[in-house]
């Protein structure tokens, strides 16, 4: 647009300068009352799912500043047109208090987005915001994956849990214990939802229920271990399938190079650096980069049809004669 002006241009309109100043005071210092002089009383912000009025915006800024006390918003570029201004911004902060159900993980986030504000006179009456929901923001564990409820997508009625369970019983897996060092205390759970993602880079994933007591520790730990249990470790699998405290008191273990708890006698074990999380309603998929691997000769424990099997006694499948 020919009449566009950018923030490098000292000729920004006074109303734009007032808006930038108020945004800086609100986001940067928590002085949300600064917004009263630039947002109209009937102001409305349109988001992906929700609309927010002026008071709701102020409350959500304060809530973000509570959770991210070092919140910083940097204006990257400003473009003006006749009755609109577009602000391209970057926001960073450290998750230091509970936010959207997430524990204070101490993780950094950095989001880049743009806000389009429409003026009537000198006041902003409406605003649309777009930002990279999938970027580093999701590594905080913020539920952003877009996994929508059945209601929203209008799919057919839910498939019965029993049918699903019967289907899943057909799947043959190993059994792993996924574990973390939670501020000095080893914590873990039995997981068969483990998969290799890629070899180069060496990525793996595990899928963990949000109700697991290990869940918040997994979210807040930079590393986790995946211990592939050996055929003679059914008792270990049973311990880690319970919710009791101090599970690691019941099994021999040692600490790995990256500080994670490794179970002695496992068939294989790896230490994994958390890279990303993908939220799927009741569960979260943790994706990580393998940093260390140990492999033993012992065959693995097998899980299928709701029971444990001895990986040493597998018989090779024979092709039937045609
Ligand atoms: C063979 C087996 C596989 C399991 N796989 C998973 C899994 O993939 N993800 C999960 O969240 N829970 C899984 N569980 C259930 C958890 O291990 C169980 O809920 C455990 O009590 C959680 O412990 P926590 O709440 O102390 O973390 C599995 C259990 C068994 C026996």
């Amino acid at each position: 647009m020919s009449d566009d002006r950018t923030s490098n241009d000292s000729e920004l309109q006074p109303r734009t300068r007032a808006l930038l100043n108020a945004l800086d005071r609100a986001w940067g210092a928590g002085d949300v009352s600064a917004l009263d002089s630039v947002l109209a009383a009937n102001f409305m912000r349109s988001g992906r799912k929700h609309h927010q009025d002026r008071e709701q915006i102020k409350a959500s800024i304060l809530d973000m500043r509570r959770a991210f006390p070092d919140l910083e918003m940097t204006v990257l570029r400003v473009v003006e047109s006749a009755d609109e201004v577009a602000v391209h911004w970057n926001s960073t902060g450290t998750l230091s208090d509970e936010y959207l159900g997430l524990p204070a993980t101490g993780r950094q986030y950095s989001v880049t987005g743009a806000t389009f504000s429409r003026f009537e006179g000198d006041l902003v009456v409406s605003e649309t915001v777009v930002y990279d929901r999938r970027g580093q923001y999701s590594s905080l564990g913020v539920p952003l994956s877009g996994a929508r409820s059945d209601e929203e997508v209008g799919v057919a009625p839910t498939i019965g849990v029993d049918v699903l369970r019967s289907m899943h019983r057909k799947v043959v897996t190993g059994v792993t214990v996924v574990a973390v060092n939670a501020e000095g205390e080893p914590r873990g759970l039995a997981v068969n939802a483990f998969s290799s993602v890629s070899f180069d880079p060496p990525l793996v994933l595990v899928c963990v229920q949000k109700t697991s007591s290990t869940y918040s520790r997994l979210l807040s730990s930079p590393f986790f271990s995946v211990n592939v249990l050996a055929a003679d470790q059914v008792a270990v699998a049973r311990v880690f399938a319970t919710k009791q405290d101090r599970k690691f008191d019941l099994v021999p273990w040692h600490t790995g190079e990256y500080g994670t708890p490794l179970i002695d006698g496992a068939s294989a074990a790896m230490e994994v650096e958390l890279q990303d999380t993908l939220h799927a309603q009741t569960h979260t998929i943790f994706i990580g980069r393998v940093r260390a691997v140990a492999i033993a000769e012992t065959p693995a424990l097998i899980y299928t049809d709701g029971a444990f099997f001895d990986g040493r006694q597998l018989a090779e499948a024979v092709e039937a004669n045609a």
Side-chain angles (χ1 to χ4, degrees):
M1 280 189 288
S2 56
D3 62 346
D4 287 353
R5 303 181 201 178
T6 75
S7 49
N8 297 327
D9 188 335
S10 56
E11 289 174 20
L12 283 175
Q13 295 187 47
R15 66 183 187 189
T16 301
R17 269 188 269 127
L19 174 64
L20 295 178
N21 189 29
L23 288 174
D24 188 45
R25 278 166 61 195
W27 286 97
D31 178 11
V32 290
S33 62
L35 295 175
D36 291 339
S37 57
V38 291
L39 304 184
N42 62 345
F43 166 86
M44 204 47 93
R45 169 191 272 206
S46 317
R48 197 172 62 107
K49 278 190 184 164
H50 307 290
H51 295 302
Q52 286 182 307
D53 64 21
R54 193 169 74 182
E55 292 312 309
Q56 288 167 327
I57 288 282
K58 285 156 74 175
S60 69
I61 292 174
L62 290 177
D63 194 43
M64 274 203 84
R65 288 198 51 84
R66 172 193 57 74
F68 303 88
D70 59 345
L71 192 71
E72 235 179 276
M73 158 101 94
T74 309
V75 172
L76 306 172
R77 187 163 182 238
V78 179
V79 180
E80 291 179 313
S81 69
D83 63 349
E84 259 195 327
V85 60
V87 180
H88 183 201
W89 48 262
N90 173 256
S91 162
T92 58
T94 312
L95 182 53
S96 309
D97 198 358
E98 190 270 340
Y99 186 64
L100 300 178
L102 295 162
T105 56
R107 280 178 175 271
Q108 281 279 336
Y109 91 116
S110 169
V111 187
T112 300
T115 305
F116 301 85
S117 306
R118 195 168 65 77
F119 283 100
E120 267 178 28
D122 285 343
L123 296 178
V124 176
V125 286
S126 64
E127 192 172 89
T128 307
V129 188
V130 289
Y131 58 91
D132 173 18
R133 301 176 67 83
R134 283 244 173 231
Q136 292 181 37
Y137 203 24
S138 76
S139 69
L140 285 175
V142 177
L144 298 170
S145 65
R148 292 183 288 172
S149 72
D150 290 355
E151 235 171 49
E152 283 175 274
V153 286
V155 297
T158 317
I159 297 165
V161 174
D162 289 348
V163 174
L164 281 175
R165 192 165 283 138
S166 303
M167 202 286 295
H168 287 295
R169 285 170 80 93
K170 299 279 186 198
V171 179
V172 181
T173 69
V175 184
T176 73
V177 170
V178 172
V180 289
N181 176 345
E183 289 168 359
E185 190 196 349
R187 306 280 309 203
L189 78 162
V191 164
N192 68 342
F194 162 83
S195 178
S196 162
V197 174
S198 59
F199 290 133
D200 188 12
L203 299 180
V204 295
L205 68 81
V206 294
C207 180
V208 175
Q209 198 161 10
K210 291 181 179 172
T211 53
S212 151
S213 71
T214 317
Y215 177 74
S216 62
R217 277 97 173 187
L218 262 172
L219 262 185
S220 48
S221 304
F223 294 93
F224 61 88
S225 65
V226 180
N227 301 268
V228 181
L229 296 187
D232 60 2
Q233 290 184 310
V234 178
V236 178
R238 293 202 197 285
V239 166
F240 283 91
T242 66
K243 282 201 164 289
Q244 63 187 300
D245 271 341
R246 311 199 64 85
K247 298 178 203 178
F248 276 90
D249 285 359
L250 305 173
V251 300
W253 62 280
H254 61 281
T255 300
E257 204 182 320
Y258 290 86
T260 67
L262 297 175
I263 294 174
D264 293 353
S267 198
M270 61 197 93
E271 290 189 278
V272 180
E273 184 171 6
L274 181 61
Q275 299 256 295
D276 210 349
T277 52
L278 185 61
H279 293 263
Q281 301 196 354
T282 56
H283 285 65
T284 293
I285 298 161
F286 292 82
I287 299 168
R289 179 182 283 256
V290 179
R291 292 296 184 191
V293 179
I295 301 164
E297 288 302 310
T298 39
L301 182 63
I302 308 289
Y303 185 74
T304 187
D305 207 11
F308 297 105
F309 294 85
D310 186 334
R312 283 171 295 211
Q313 293 177 16
L314 297 179
E316 198 170 334
V318 183
E319 279 181 60
N321 288 331

